[in-house]
Amino acid sequence: MDLSRMKLFSRFRIWVLTCSLIFQLGYGFYLPGSYPHKYNVGDFLSVKVNSLTSIETELPYGYYSLPFCKPSEGVKDSAENLGELLMGDRIENSPYQFKMFTNQTDIFVCASDPLTSDQFKIMKERIDEMYQVNLILDNLPAIRYTQKEGYVLRWTGYPVGVKVKDAYYVFNHLKFKVLVHKYEDANMARVMGTGDAAELIPTIGKGGSDVPGYMVVGFEVVPCSIVHNLDQVKNLKMYQAYPSAVQCDPTTVSMSIKEGQPIAFTYEVMFEESDIKWPSRWDAYLKMEGSKVHWFSIMNSMMVITFLAGIVFVIFLRTVRRDLTRYEELDKEAQAQMNEELSGWKLVVGDVFRAPTSPSLLCIMVGNGVQILGMAVVTILFAALGFMSPASRGTLITGMLFFYMILGVAAGYFAVRLWRTIGCGDNKGWISVSWKVSCFFPGIAFFILTTLNFLLWGSHSTGAIPFSLFVILLLLWFCISVPLTLVGGCLGAKAPHIEFPVRTNQIPREIPAQKYPSWLLVLGAGTLPFGTLFIELFFIMSSIWMGRVYYVFGFLFIVLILLVVVCAEVSLVLTYMHLCVEDWRWWWKAFFASGSVAIYIFLYSINYLIFDLKSLSGPVSSTLYLGYSLLMVFAIMLATGTIGFLSSFWFVHYLFSSVKLD
């Protein structure tokens, strides 16, 4: 008996330790997809290259579109996921190779062929447009440090070259520094600070436990422009030593590019031991700047929520509850007399649940809104828990697509059930509604992406989605998303519809003339939800268009929850105000009261383009920016509008089910 208890306790202990390890790894942004790799002294390290990027054009190009040195074994693509392809990442091998903990200097790579007129022209264009070369070692992007006015600035990658006066200079010598963390215990658990779970984790790397190993915890690059003696490198082969010492001075440039002149490339590498732990190696890229601003954004949102909550409190407790209590205390004769003296929202009792105009479109937009909102909540939650880290490129986009397709069940269910509720239980047309839900937003997104893709194809950018990927997206759409949406619609058709608490009159009641257009108030209501997210929106826009890494998903999740609350409160208050002035057409107004925040986000996007992306050059870049912004804004409108509509529907149903009016 004691033995069985010990076994049970041992299993429970292993389970607890495993869970604790998982959570600790998640806190370090490495769950799952990236694991520590041990290198022994002398092991080869291969540097990979990603697409050339620029905040001037937002058009990525392949690394080998410029006359850079190619590896001797040929250019090979690295394994890419769906998200990387959609983001324009093209990761390939490079000729830069290191040996672990072996310093090397003056390593010759290659000398390019004499620049043709086209190559010379493209090189000048890439330098003018400030394109950056992005290198990757052990899943770490190369980082470059510069100083400006006493501040240390961090950049990922290094520029192709620089223009000084009328001359163009290329950076043809790279000085690498690789930071490594040494350990002698082959068990990774103790290295990562989870010594209690040591027995659970297998040894990673080569050799036995007595062989010291190193982990890459930093990758820095310093670019230099140096004139090489072309006569000395004619007979040199790749990785041979350059005949003379190369003095790398990043403050001066000397290698100007000229048509018909080749370019020689060299590099050097230095290894340095560091105290940085492996889980903390991304801290250099993820320095939290402006954390006080994030908290200010949250406090600002809390103030807006408190203000709106006060208004809702007054509506529910002081107005609605007071009227209902007074009505219930009267006898039948007094109730009949009171019915003749009704005013405000009580007058529209026979029309408040009258079917809105274009009911199928409303159901379709609500279904898509539920799908997009669910995708956003689940994706941001997983990202906040560390499942979608910056170390795993493309996982965020891949996760969004996966969750969007799976939530097609919810989209079909909500859309069809709302359709049956509006039709008082009639099942007719539910298949058509389900089909339209599965094609409405994806169809619009597909149209916008296809249009923008033609521009990218015309620019020969790696940001263009390959035709094969288009086929894959179509297969995912019609083989997974559409069937799941139809399954959700079938479940919605079988579920009981929501019964209205009051009867609808045959003849609609005339709406009194309003002092001001009701839609003006609806459009103005979007300012409050916008006030809860505009600060966080700046950081998101900067990460998308300025090449910065966004990782504060915990803040983003809090802001998303606050946005949901504000949208619900705004729509509820606006719906009550419309009912009080005897305007029973609340369905669409409830949707757009919170959905109108998309208008202000689009205006903010234009403001960001004009004032923050002033250097964005060319009509193609501006068109891409506006196209992607329009798609984002449309998705936000569907999600926020759905929040407002569902909260208003619940409020109206509760309001008129609480009092019996004939």
Side-chain angles (χ1 to χ4, degrees):
M1 188 70 177
D2 293 337
L3 182 61
S4 62
R5 286 181 179 178
M6 289 179 63
K7 288 183 177 179
L8 181 63
F9 176 77
S10 178
R11 290 178 181 177
F12 176 75
R13 180 173 176 268
I14 292 175
W15 181 82
V16 171
L17 293 175
T18 304
C19 291
S20 65
L21 173 62
I22 289 175
F23 281 111
Q24 187 159 355
L25 291 175
Y27 180 79
F29 285 103
Y30 285 95
L31 175 66
S34 181
Y35 301 96
H37 190 92
K38 170 187 172 181
Y39 297 95
N40 295 323
V41 176
D43 285 353
F44 276 100
L45 301 174
S46 297
V47 177
K48 297 181 180 180
V49 292
N50 204 342
S51 299
L52 305 175
T53 56
S54 171
I55 61 174
E56 294 275 334
T57 65
E58 303 297 343
L59 298 174
Y61 289 99
Y63 175 81
Y64 294 107
S65 63
L66 295 181
F68 292 136
C69 299
K70 296 182 180 180
S72 56
E73 66 273 17
V75 178
K76 299 178 182 179
D77 292 331
S78 296
E80 294 172 317
N81 56 45
L82 191 63
E84 284 181 290
L85 291 172
L86 290 175
M87 291 297 292
D89 289 337
R90 297 294 184 271
I91 301 176
E92 300 163 315
N93 58 334
S94 80
Y96 298 107
Q97 292 185 351
F98 312 147
K99 291 183 179 179
M100 172 55 75
F101 220 79
T102 304
N103 295 338
Q104 295 173 291
T105 58
D106 310 329
I107 303 299
F108 174 74
V109 185
C110 79
S112 68
D113 295 329
L115 297 181
T116 64
S117 58
D118 290 338
Q119 290 176 331
F120 179 64
K121 180 181 178 182
I122 292 175
M123 284 283 286
K124 291 196 301 181
E125 289 178 356
R126 298 292 181 267
I127 293 174
D128 281 333
E129 293 166 346
M130 298 176 62
Y131 269 87
Q132 302 283 315
V133 179
N134 299 295
L135 306 176
I136 302 170
L137 177 66
D138 194 43
N139 205 36
L140 276 181
I143 192 169
R144 177 171 56 96
Y145 293 96
T146 60
Q147 287 191 353
K148 184 177 181 181
E149 298 178 356
Y151 292 96
V152 177
L153 303 178
R154 296 178 301 275
W155 310 86
T156 53
Y158 67 92
V160 173
V162 64
K163 181 181 180 182
V164 180
K165 296 183 179 179
D166 294 330
Y168 292 86
Y169 297 87
V170 66
F171 291 116
N172 61 334
H173 179 83
L174 301 180
K175 182 178 181 180
F176 295 107
K177 179 193 286 187
V178 181
L179 303 181
V180 294
H181 184 76
K182 180 181 178 181
Y183 68 96
E184 297 182 359
D185 190 340
N187 197 308
M188 292 302 301
R190 295 192 179 93
V191 175
M192 300 186 68
T194 53
D196 291 338
E199 61 207 33
L200 304 177
I201 305 178
T203 300
I204 300 176
K206 304 175 183 178
S209 60
D210 57 336
V211 179
Y214 295 91
M215 295 178 294
V216 177
V217 295
F219 183 38
E220 302 175 10
V221 61
V222 177
C224 297
S225 178
I226 296 173
V227 177
H228 294 299
N229 190 330
L230 296 176
D231 293 331
Q232 292 181 344
V233 301
K234 282 183 179 180
N235 298 322
L236 285 182
K237 295 182 180 180
M238 187 175 290
Y239 307 125
Q240 288 185 343
Y242 188 74
S244 58
V246 178
Q247 300 297 328
C248 180
D249 184 4
T251 61
T252 61
V253 291
S254 57
M255 183 58 206
S256 62
I257 58 174
K258 298 177 183 178
E259 185 177 344
Q261 177 180 311
I263 305 173
F265 295 89
T266 55
Y267 73 93
E268 60 184 282
V269 59
M270 178 183 67
F271 287 82
E272 181 179 301
E273 285 195 40
S274 173
D275 294 331
I276 300 174
K277 301 288 186 181
W278 190 87
S280 304
R281 66 179 192 159
W282 272 84
D283 289 355
Y285 306 86
L286 306 179
K287 292 291 184 181
M288 180 181 289
E289 296 176 354
S291 59
K292 293 182 179 179
V293 177
H294 291 279
W295 284 115
F296 173 77
S297 173
I298 292 175
M299 294 303 297
N300 176 63
S301 303
M302 291 297 295
M303 292 178 63
V304 174
I305 287 177
T306 304
F307 172 72
L308 291 174
I311 298 177
V312 174
F313 180 81
V314 170
I315 290 175
F316 268 107
L317 296 186
R318 297 193 57 185
T319 305
V320 178
R321 265 306 182 198
R322 182 187 60 195
D323 291 349
L324 295 178
T325 303
R326 187 177 64 176
Y327 184 85
E328 292 171 356
E329 290 175 352
L330 299 177
D331 54 23
K332 292 185 178 180
E333 294 182 1
Q335 288 180 7
Q337 182 180 359
M338 183 179 177
N339 287 341
E340 297 177 357
E341 301 174 354
L342 291 178
S343 61
W345 58 270
K346 308 176 196 68
L347 290 173
V348 297
V349 62
D351 299 276
V352 69
F353 290 107
R354 187 178 302 280
T357 56
S358 304
S360 62
L361 180 61
L362 178 63
C363 296
I364 292 166
M365 295 177 72
V366 169
N368 278 276
V370 168
Q371 191 175 10
I372 295 170
L373 180 64
M375 174 201 69
V377 171
V378 176
T379 303
I380 295 173
L381 178 61
F382 271 77
L385 293 175
F387 283 85
M388 299 175 183
S389 72
S392 302
R393 283 175 298 275
T395 54
L396 191 64
I397 300 296
T398 305
M400 290 173 64
L401 286 174
F402 174 77
F403 293 130
Y404 181 83
M405 289 187 296
I406 297 299
L407 288 169
V409 176
Y413 176 83
F414 276 88
V416 171
R417 194 173 184 194
L418 179 60
W419 170 256
R420 294 183 64 242
T421 298
I422 294 175
C424 299
D426 188 6
N427 278 345
K428 184 179 179 181
W430 74 266
I431 297 179
S432 175
V433 171
S434 300
W435 173 254
K436 291 176 182 177
V437 168
S438 65
C439 296
F440 181 67
F441 178 75
I444 293 174
F446 195 79
F447 173 76
I448 294 176
L449 290 177
T450 303
T451 303
L452 298 179
N453 213 53
F454 279 115
L455 297 176
L456 292 169
W457 272 334
S459 302
H460 305 286
S461 170
T462 58
I465 302 175
F467 180 77
S468 58
L469 183 56
F470 259 108
V471 175
I472 293 174
L473 291 175
L474 285 174
L475 290 175
L476 291 175
W477 180 8
F478 286 103
C479 297
I480 298 179
S481 182
V482 172
L484 288 178
T485 306
L486 292 175
V487 169
C490 181
L491 296 176
K494 294 180 179 179
H497 70 282
I498 302 174
E499 296 185 358
F500 296 142
V502 294
R503 295 192 302 268
T504 302
N505 298 333
Q506 292 184 350
I507 302 175
R509 177 185 178 86
E510 183 179 355
I511 299 175
Q514 307 297 325
K515 296 181 180 179
Y516 49 86
S518 58
W519 283 102
L520 187 64
L521 192 60
V522 170
L523 295 177
T527 56
L528 292 174
F530 178 74
T532 65
L533 58 79
F534 80 97
I535 295 178
E536 205 65 31
L537 187 63
F538 170 79
F539 290 97
I540 296 174
M541 299 283 281
S542 298
S543 68
I544 296 174
W545 301 106
M546 301 292 286
R548 299 172 185 171
V549 180
Y550 186 88
Y551 70 100
V552 284
F553 293 103
F555 282 112
L556 184 59
F557 186 75
I558 296 174
V559 171
L560 178 63
I561 299 301
L562 297 179
L563 177 66
V564 170
V565 175
V566 171
C567 287
E569 292 178 343
V570 164
S571 184
L572 190 149
V573 171
L574 263 291
T575 299
Y576 180 76
M577 292 176 63
H578 283 107
L579 294 179
C580 285
V581 295
E582 304 174 29
D583 186 355
W584 46 266
R585 296 173 300 185
W586 60 273
W587 301 77
W588 281 108
K589 292 173 184 176
F591 186 93
F592 287 110
S594 54
S596 61
V597 66
I599 298 175
Y600 300 96
I601 294 177
F602 188 70
L603 294 176
Y604 179 82
S605 301
I606 296 176
N607 173 81
Y608 190 86
L609 173 64
I610 296 174
F611 294 102
D612 292 275
L613 293 178
K614 293 180 289 187
S615 59
L616 197 66
S617 60
V620 174
S621 302
S622 300
T623 304
L624 287 172
Y625 175 86
L626 293 175
Y628 288 128
S629 297
L630 188 63
L631 179 60
M632 177 188 69
V633 163
F634 184 67
I636 292 175
M637 186 268 289
L638 291 176
T640 54
T642 297
I643 298 168
F645 171 79
L646 293 179
S647 62
S648 293
F649 183 86
W650 169 83
F651 169 71
V652 173
H653 191 278
Y654 168 80
L655 181 63
F656 286 91
S657 63
S658 300
V659 59
K660 305 300 181 183
L661 298 171
D662 296 326

